[in-house]
Amino acid sequence: MSLRVTPSMMHMQLSRNLSRNLKQMDSLQDQLTTGRKINKPSDDPVGITYSLRYRTELASNGQYQKNADSAHSWLDFNDTVIGQAGDVMQRIKELTTQGSNGTNPQYALDNINNEISQLKSQLLDIANSKLNGKYVFNGQTFDKMPYDESVAGFDAKQVVTDTGDVSYAVGVGVTLPVNLSGNEVFGKPADTDNVFAVLDKIISNFASGNQSGAAAQLTNLETRMNKILNARSEVGAKVNRVELMQNRLDDLEINLTDMQSKTEDADFDKLLIDSKINENIYQASLSVGAKVITPTLVDFLH
Amino acid sequence: MTSTFHSIETAKRSLFAQQTAINTVGHNISNANTAGYSRQRVSLTASRPMEAYGINRSTAAGQLGTGVEATAITRVRTSFLDDQFRNQNKYVGAWSVQSDTLSKLESIVNEPSDSGIRSVMDKFYQAWSDLSKDPENVTGRKIVRETALALTDSFNQTSKQLSDLKDDLTSSIDVKVTQANTIMSTIASLNTEIRRIEGLGDDANDLQDQRDLLTDQLSQIVNVEVSKAPEGYTITMGDKTLVQGDESFDLTREGLESSFGDGQLSSGEVFGMIQSRDVYVNDYMKQLDTLANTLANGDIEVTVPAGSVLPGTTTPLTVDTKMTVKGINGLHKLGYTMDNPATGGSDFFTFSSGTGITAATFQLNPDIASDTNKIATSMRTTSSGGASTVVQGNNSLALLMSQLGDVKFSFDQSATGNGISSSTISDFYSSMVGALGVQSEEAQRQYENSVAQADQVEGSRQSVSGVSLDEEMSDLVKYQHAYSAAARFMTTFDQLLEKLINGTGVVGR
C-alpha cells in the first residue's frame, strides 16, 4: 500500500525531531557548563561507582596528607629539642672533665657546679617541652607536665613518664607513633645513667671536692649521650618514613585526580565540536520546519 | 416511455449528491486538526435504474439510469492499527512515569556532588581523624559532633524526600483513577448513543471517533483489551471488565493495587506509578535504612591495640586483639568518655522514634549532642586506689573510628535485596547509586523506544485516517465541477422543455 502523507504527519515528525535535537543540545550544554560528563547516575552507571570511589579516596587521602604534616611537625620539634639536650650534655661533659682534672680550687668547682645546676634546670625545661599545648615527653598523658617541680617532694630522677604512643594515621591502616617518652631520652629511675641522677652525683661530688667521684660519672654521661643520640637518629628515621609516606600520598593524589578526571570530566574539544554540529542540525531542522508548513493546494486555487 | 420530467429528477439527484460530497469535504477540512478525527468519505452509487415500461417487455432501450445517490458517509479507519496503537501506548504510559520517578530519585540522591551522603560520610571520618590528633581538644569534638549531625540530617532529609515522593505517587494514582473512571463512563454512554444511531442504519462517525480517542487515552492509563460487541466496545483490563455496553465499572486505588499484585494490571501509567512507589522508591528507602542501621550497629572486626583497657577490666591488653563489635555504637562502647572516673562510651547513634534505626529516625545520641565530652576517644585508663581515670591523650578509639571508612561491615542481606552481605559503607552506597543509575538509564531507553514505536503506529494511523488538505481541495474541485455540470444539465433540459412547451404548436404564426 502506498503511504498517504498528510500534513499532520509531517508536523508530528517535525516537532518530534525538533524536541529530540533540543534534548541533545540540552545534554551537551549541561556537560559543557558543569565540565563533567557524569552529571547524574544514569549518565554512566558504571562510571558513577568509580567516580564515587575516587572522590572518597581523594577525601581520605587529603586527610592522611594533613595527618602526615602534623606527624612531621611533631617529629621536627622532637628533633630540635633532643638536639638541644645533646648540646647541653656536651657542655656538662666538658665541665665535668674540666672539674675532674688537675688542681681545681674549691671555688672553681663551685662555679662549675653553679653552671651544671643551671644546665640541669635547662634539661628539665627541655624535658617539659610543649608543642601545641602538649608535653611531648609524657606519652599519652601529654596534658600533664612530666617533670613538675611544683609537686611536693619532686625529684627529677624518680619521675616515671607515660609510655603510651601518640600515633597518627598516615595511610590506610598505617599508624605511626611519633613520640619518645622522657624516660627513653633522659633515663628511667632505675638506670645508672639516668641523667638527673648522674648530675646530682656530679654536683654533690664537686661540692665536697671529690673530683675522682665526679670523674667516675663520665662513663655514665657518655652512655646517656649515646642514648640521646640514638633517640635523635630514631626520630630522623621516622622523619624519613613520614616523608616517604608524604611522597606516596602526593603521588596517589595525582593518580586519583587523574583517574577521577578520566571518569568524570568532559572532553571539551569533542563537546564543543558536537555542540556546534548539533546547533547546525537544529538550525537545519528549524529551516526545514519552516518549509514543511508549506502552502497547500489551497494557495494555488483561484 | 419515461416520464417527461425524468431528467430533471436525475439532475436534481446529482445536485444533492455532489452537495453532500462537498459538505463532507468541508467537514474534513474543518477537522483537519481535530484530535482523533478520521477523514470521512461519501459513497456515491448510481441509483436504481428503471425498467422500460410495458406489459410484457417494452422494446425501448432498457435500464434507464436515474442518476446518483449518496448511500453512506463512512470514516476511513483501520481498527487493527488502533489495537496496535493501544498496545504500544500502555508502555508509553508505564515507562514515562517510571523514567520520571527514577530521574526524581537521581536528583534526590544528588550524586556525584560535594553535598551528597557520600561526601558527608567522608567529612565524618575526617573529623574523627582530626580529633585523633588532638583527642583532648574541645574544638575537634565539636567538629565530630557537627559532622555527625550533618550525617544524620542528610539521612533524615533523604528519607523525608523519599516518603514525600511516595505520597506524591499515591495521590497521582488517585488522580489517574478519577480520570480513568470519567473516561470509562463516557465510553459507556457513547456505546449507548452509537448503538441507537447505528440501529437506524447510519454510521455514527464522529461519535465513534470520540469513543476511539477516549479508548486511546484510557490505554495510556491502564493496560486495556478492546473487543467490539453488538452493544459497543467491551473494555477489559486483564480479566477485569471495565466497560460493557452501557455499563462502566469504576476503578479504585485499592483495587488497582491488588490487580498490580496479581498481575492483571501489567502496564500503563498507574502500573508505572505503583511500580515506582512499591519497587523503586521502596527499595531505595530500604537500602538507606539498612545503610543507617548498619553504620550504627552492623558487625565489624576491629583491632584493639595493645595497652587498651577494655571496659569493665583494669588490666591493659598485652597484645593487639581482634574483636567483632556492633558498628559505630559497639565500637564507641569500647572506649571512654572524657568524664572521670572513667565512664564507658554510650551508643553513638540512636533513633528518635520507633523500635530501631531507620534513615528517618537516625540521630546522634542526644546526650552526645548536648555534651561533646560524651564522645569517647580514649581506650586507656589508669587505676589507682580502686578508682580508674581516663588517659585523655589516648586516641586509639578516635583512630579506629577514623579508619571505619575502610572497614567491611556485615549487611543484613534479607533487608537490602541487593546481594551485598559484607562491604565497606561507601562501596554499599556506590553500588546503590550505581544500581539506581542502571535502572534510570534502562527506563529512559524503554521510554524512548515505546514512544518511537507508538509514534510509528500513530504515523500509520494518520496515513490512513488523517485529513490531507491537498486531497480535500482536489476533491472539492472535482465535486464543484460535477455540481456545475449537473446544473448545466438541468438548464439544458429546462431549455429543451421550453422549446417543447412554448415553441411547439405555433405553425404558421
Side-chain angles (χ1 to χ4, degrees):
Chain A
M1 137 183 160
S2 68
L3 199 70
R4 276 175 86 248
V5 176
T6 64
S8 67
M9 283 164 72
M10 293 168 83
H11 288 248
M12 243 171 65
Q13 190 68 33
L14 169 71
S15 57
R16 252 204 319 268
N17 291 340
L18 283 179
S19 80
R20 186 177 311 124
N21 288 337
L22 260 181
K23 198 176 155 209
Q24 182 74 17
M25 273 177 95
D26 180 52
S27 136
L28 288 170
Q29 292 293 352
D30 205 19
Q31 292 179 42
L32 272 170
T33 45
T34 58
R36 295 203 307 246
K37 64 183 176 208
I38 303 180
N39 291 300
K40 49 184 197 303
S42 57
D43 289 342
D44 182 357
V46 176
I48 182 101
T49 55
Y50 284 101
S51 145
L52 292 179
R53 163 148 349 127
Y54 297 145
R55 282 161 175 257
T56 295
E57 282 180 1
L58 271 170
S60 62
N61 201 59
Q63 184 63 37
Y64 289 135
Q65 284 171 316
K66 272 167 63 181
N67 294 357
D69 291 346
S70 307
H72 202 290
S73 65
W74 179 297
L75 289 167
D76 281 348
F77 183 76
N78 257 359
D79 183 64
T80 310
V81 295
I82 294 176
Q84 289 168 356
D87 295 345
V88 172
M89 294 295 288
Q90 195 59 46
R91 180 70 191 140
I92 290 173
K93 192 181 156 192
E94 283 167 15
L95 289 170
T96 314
T97 317
Q98 190 186 332
S100 316
N101 63 26
T103 52
N104 278 312
Q106 187 58 41
Y107 69 85
L109 293 182
D110 288 346
N111 280 341
I112 287 174
N113 251 357
N114 282 341
E115 191 171 347
I116 291 183
S117 301
Q118 288 302 319
L119 291 169
K120 183 187 167 188
S121 307
Q122 201 179 338
L123 271 184
L124 277 174
D125 283 347
I126 290 172
N128 285 329
S129 299
K130 274 169 94 170
L131 173 71
N132 298 335
K134 298 188 178 74
Y135 292 98
V136 294
F137 289 118
N138 207 10
Q140 293 181 348
T141 52
F142 47 64
D143 48 326
K144 298 189 187 69
M145 192 187 273
Y147 298 85
D148 188 352
E149 292 173 80
S150 62
V151 174
F154 169 76
D155 182 0
K157 57 183 172 288
Q158 296 305 326
V159 167
V160 179
T161 55
D162 184 66
T163 52
D165 284 341
V166 173
S167 301
Y168 283 13
V170 290
V172 180
V174 184
T175 50
L176 185 70
V178 293
N179 65 318
L180 289 166
S181 70
N183 287 162
E184 278 176 291
V185 181
F186 304 104
K188 298 192 191 64
D191 289 345
T192 48
D193 60 358
N194 178 313
V195 71
F196 300 109
V198 172
L199 287 181
D200 287 351
K201 282 182 184 142
I202 292 172
I203 290 169
S204 67
N205 278 323
F206 279 145
S208 61
N210 181 351
Q211 289 176 307
S212 63
Q217 291 302 325
L218 276 171
T219 49
N220 282 339
L221 266 182
E222 271 173 21
T223 56
R224 176 49 49 191
M225 278 171 79
N226 282 339
K227 283 177 183 167
I228 290 178
L229 269 179
N230 283 346
R232 196 174 175 188
S233 59
E234 192 184 328
V235 170
K238 278 187 181 167
V239 169
N240 284 347
R241 190 176 157 194
V242 169
E243 281 170 355
L244 272 177
M245 281 308 295
Q246 282 176 319
N247 290 343
R248 270 193 44 207
L249 291 169
D250 291 350
D251 289 352
L252 197 57
E253 183 184 20
I254 292 169
N255 288 347
L256 284 170
T257 315
D258 191 40
M259 289 195 288
Q260 186 196 6
S261 134
K262 276 188 184 132
T263 313
E264 284 185 17
D265 290 6
D267 174 351
F268 262 98
D269 311 353
K270 190 172 168 302
L271 261 186
L272 284 169
I273 293 169
D274 282 358
S275 134
K276 201 71 218 158
I277 291 174
N278 206 276
E279 256 169 66
N280 289 344
I281 291 177
Y282 184 63
Q283 297 279 6
S285 60
L286 281 176
S287 74
V288 166
K291 289 200 183 67
V292 162
I293 311 172
T294 46
T296 57
L297 202 47
V298 180
D299 301 271
F300 299 99
L301 292 171
H302 296 295
Chain B
M1 206 30 221
T2 53
S3 148
T4 307
F5 297 128
H6 177 96
S7 294
I8 292 186
E9 181 61 24
T10 306
K12 187 192 76 176
R13 283 185 186 186
S14 175
L15 287 176
F16 284 173
Q18 307 309 331
Q19 238 179 358
T20 309
I22 285 176
N23 185 54
T24 305
V25 167
H27 185 51
N28 285 342
I29 292 172
S30 314
N31 286 297
N33 294 324
T34 306
Y37 180 81
S38 18
R39 67 196 165 108
Q40 294 174 12
R41 239 191 340 218
V42 180
S43 310
L44 295 178
T45 18
S47 52
R48 216 179 130 162
M50 277 184 164
E51 300 286 339
Y53 303 102
I55 296 198
N56 295 319
R57 197 186 165 286
S58 162
T59 51
Q63 292 283 298
L64 183 66
T66 57
V68 69
E69 264 179 339
T71 45
I73 302 176
T74 49
R75 54 183 197 142
V76 183
R77 198 170 175 113
T78 318
S79 64
F80 164 70
L81 287 175
D82 287 341
D83 291 343
Q84 268 200 322
F85 178 79
R86 284 162 198 158
N87 238 342
Q88 276 307 325
N89 206 22
K90 65 182 183 194
Y91 294 124
V92 175
W95 287 112
S96 75
V97 172
Q98 289 177 66
S99 66
D100 189 45
T101 312
L102 285 161
S103 70
K104 281 190 186 130
L105 271 178
E106 287 187 292
S107 61
I108 289 174
V109 171
N110 188 20
E111 294 288 1
S113 75
D114 298 330
S115 52
I117 285 182
R118 181 203 58 79
S119 134
V120 186
M121 209 80 114
D122 290 346
K123 292 196 176 89
F124 176 69
Y125 297 134
Q126 285 174 320
W128 274 105
S129 192
D130 279 332
L131 181 58
S132 77
K133 293 187 286 188
D134 297 303
E136 82 292 5
N137 183 327
V138 179
T139 320
R141 287 170 182 277
K142 290 216 162 108
I143 292 173
V144 167
R145 177 183 66 186
E146 293 315 312
T147 52
L149 286 172
L151 180 65
T152 54
D153 281 352
S154 52
F155 269 98
N156 299 161
Q157 194 195 349
T158 308
S159 172
K160 170 91 179 61
Q161 284 175 304
L162 292 175
S163 329
D164 287 353
L165 185 55
K166 270 178 115 165
D167 295 346
D168 288 351
L169 284 165
T170 304
S171 51
S172 303
I173 295 173
D174 288 331
V175 172
K176 283 290 160 193
V177 166
T178 319
Q179 209 181 343
N181 288 340
T182 315
I183 291 175
M184 278 151 43
S185 64
T186 317
I187 292 178
S189 55
L190 278 170
N191 274 345
T192 320
E193 192 75 358
I194 290 169
R195 197 176 171 197
R196 190 180 59 75
I197 291 167
E198 297 193 340
L200 301 173
D202 288 328
D203 289 317
N205 299 318
D206 296 318
L207 293 179
Q208 286 188 355
D209 280 346
Q210 278 180 34
R211 185 172 63 180
D212 280 328
L213 182 64
L214 287 167
T215 312
D216 288 350
Q217 287 169 356
L218 186 63
S219 74
Q220 188 159 358
I221 301 175
V222 292
N223 50 302
V224 291
E225 292 280 330
V226 184
S227 57
K228 212 164 157 117
E231 67 269 29
Y233 277 0
T234 304
I235 298 179
T236 53
M237 177 187 87
D239 58 9
K240 281 196 160 41
T241 306
L242 305 185
V243 180
Q244 188 163 27
D246 58 358
E247 273 188 301
S248 67
F249 304 92
D250 274 358
L251 293 166
T252 59
R253 176 158 54 85
E254 292 74 15
L256 283 168
E257 279 163 357
S258 78
S259 300
F260 174 87
D262 60 24
Q264 302 300 338
L265 172 64
S266 61
S267 201
E269 282 170 338
V270 178
F271 170 86
M273 284 164 189
I274 300 179
Q275 170 85 7
S276 300
R277 188 190 61 182
D278 296 351
V279 179
Y280 300 136
V281 182
N282 221 19
D283 191 47
Y284 204 76
M285 268 179 117
K286 262 205 260 180
Q287 297 198 41
L288 213 57
D289 291 346
T290 307
L291 192 64
N293 191 33
T294 306
L295 186 64
N297 300 316
D299 281 356
I300 45 174
E301 193 179 64
V302 290
T303 305
V304 180
S308 303
V309 179
L310 294 174
T313 63
T314 47
T315 35
L317 296 172
T318 48
V319 286
D320 289 358
T321 313
K322 274 198 183 341
M323 295 178 72
T324 300
V325 292
K326 296 228 167 283
I328 287 187
N329 285 352
L331 183 56
H332 198 246
K333 286 178 186 162
L334 286 185
Y336 301 94
T337 64
M338 297 295 273
D339 300 333
N340 271 319
T343 327
S346 51
D347 276 341
F348 192 80
F349 290 117
T350 54
F351 43 93
S352 51
S353 62
T355 54
I357 292 182
T358 63
T361 61
F362 196 42
Q363 63 166 23
L364 178 64
N365 188 333
D367 299 347
I368 294 176
S370 59
D371 177 8
T372 52
N373 280 336
K374 296 273 189 292
I375 296 176
T377 46
S378 167
M379 296 181 95
R380 191 173 150 213
T381 56
T382 52
S383 47
S384 52
S388 50
T389 45
V390 180
V391 178
Q392 300 194 335
N394 177 288
N395 65 354
S396 305
L397 187 69
L399 278 180
L400 286 173
M401 283 280 185
S402 71
Q403 290 161 341
L404 283 183
D406 302 306
V407 172
K408 281 191 158 68
F409 283 71
S410 301
F411 286 87
D412 175 7
Q413 244 176 306
S414 60
T416 61
N418 76 353
I420 292 180
S421 59
S422 162
S423 81
T424 63
I425 292 283
S426 60
D427 279 356
F428 182 90
Y429 181 71
S430 18
S431 82
M432 197 159 92
V433 176
L436 175 66
V438 172
Q439 285 172 336
S440 173
E441 192 188 33
E442 159 82 354
Q444 282 168 43
R445 200 181 47 241
Q446 291 275 21
Y447 171 65
E448 276 162 25
N449 286 351
S450 61
V451 167
Q453 289 183 340
D455 279 347
Q456 201 257 321
V457 179
E458 176 61 17
S460 308
R461 279 211 306 192
Q462 284 290 327
S463 165
V464 174
S465 309
V467 175
S468 154
L469 289 179
D470 295 352
E471 204 176 53
E472 299 302 328
M473 291 315 289
S474 65
D475 280 354
L476 189 60
V477 171
K478 187 170 80 179
Y479 294 129
Q480 192 186 355
H481 282 308
Y483 183 92
S484 308
R488 170 62 48 208
F489 170 47
M490 177 90 85
T491 315
T492 308
F493 206 75
D494 175 40
Q495 284 180 358
L496 214 131
L497 288 175
E498 165 79 15
K499 195 76 196 160
L500 180 67
I501 294 162
N502 295 327
T504 52
V506 288
V507 177
R509 217 188 256 176

